[in-house]
Amino acid sequence: GRSRGNLVYGLCKADLSTGELEAYEFDDRDAEGAVFLELERILPKEILLPAEMAPLLSGTAFGGSLTVVSVPDQAERADLLARQFPFPDPLFKEKTVASQALAMILRYVRETQFSEAPHMKKVRFFQESGSMVIDPATVQNLDLLENRFSRDGKGSLFHVLNQFLTAPGARELKKWILYPLKELKSIEER
């Protein structure tokens, strides 16, 4: 989603297999660039977007995975969010553009999966300003997730640090590596 006044972009990532939902809102002067960086990081299989935004991505590497959908109006957005999340996050009201992107995904899942997706019960809101932006080239050059020479995980920072016994723990570690915090207090809390 995109706010009409100042440039505010909302992005929501959904993993249907795990039920993970993540919502982002970018509102700085290079919001469009931040969205492109995030898309390069997550490498989505499919991108849902309103028709007016399709030209932004149609000539990019993501152009083949675009699905144009309509934007839910405020009443439909509120209904979609309330049905999916009985105890809504207060950020739904604060992050309206990210919530709009989330509602687009929820509607699309219901229409294509013929289901309410009951396992998708929690959304994590991210603020780009709270973490460093690491572009894909830096991730590769620093061998953060895989060794650039052998193209496997051995020798990467992730491989060295990953002592988790479960897949969710390993996924969380990947997020910590790809989105390092900037503020000392947040780092100490983690």
Side-chain angles (χ1 to χ4, degrees):
R2 175 180 159 179
S3 173
R4 298 232 185 273
N6 55 344
L7 283 179
V8 178
Y9 289 86
L11 184 138
C12 185
K13 178 177 85 169
D15 184 335
L16 291 179
S17 65
T18 64
E20 290 182 4
L21 288 167
E22 296 176 357
Y24 305 79
E25 197 160 284
F26 303 94
D27 60 2
D28 62 6
R29 67 181 187 281
D30 188 27
E32 193 173 301
V35 169
F36 276 101
L37 274 176
E38 192 58 35
L39 289 173
E40 286 179 351
R41 278 199 261 191
I42 61 178
L43 297 172
K45 299 281 188 244
E46 184 174 15
I47 298 173
L48 308 178
L49 72 168
E52 69 267 11
M53 292 187 66
L56 287 174
L57 295 174
S58 63
T60 69
F62 305 110
S65 61
L66 301 179
T67 301
V68 175
V69 296
S70 63
V71 178
D73 63 27
Q74 189 172 359
E76 183 185 9
R77 179 176 66 212
D79 180 60
L80 285 164
L81 295 175
R83 285 178 30 207
Q84 190 71 30
F85 307 104
F87 305 102
D89 191 313
L91 288 174
F92 286 161
K93 290 182 180 173
E94 183 182 326
K95 303 289 183 190
T96 56
V97 181
S99 295
Q100 180 179 344
L102 176 60
M104 288 170 62
I105 284 182
L106 293 174
R107 184 200 310 134
Y108 185 75
V109 167
R110 286 192 179 117
E111 290 172 354
T112 59
Q113 304 299 310
F114 307 107
S115 164
E116 294 286 322
H119 64 300
M120 300 174 88
K121 286 294 179 196
K122 185 177 182 209
V123 62
R124 293 174 53 181
F125 282 91
F126 287 88
Q127 283 192 276
E128 188 272 327
S129 61
S131 63
M132 291 174 52
V133 175
I134 300 179
D135 64 275
T138 302
V139 170
Q140 182 180 13
N141 290 334
L142 294 177
D143 296 334
L144 295 181
L145 298 179
E146 68 178 22
N147 183 310
R148 67 179 172 260
F149 299 111
S150 63
R151 305 303 283 167
D152 65 16
K154 294 180 181 168
S156 69
L157 178 64
F158 175 75
H159 183 262
V160 171
L161 296 177
N162 186 15
Q163 300 297 311
F164 288 98
L165 301 176
T166 64
R171 283 193 298 269
E172 189 68 18
L173 177 61
K174 279 184 182 178
K175 289 176 193 168
W176 288 1
I177 291 171
L178 291 175
Y179 305 96
L181 299 174
K182 294 192 289 189
E183 297 175 16
L184 181 59
K185 183 179 181 194
S186 298
I187 293 169
E188 289 171 344
E189 287 174 0
R190 182 180 278 178

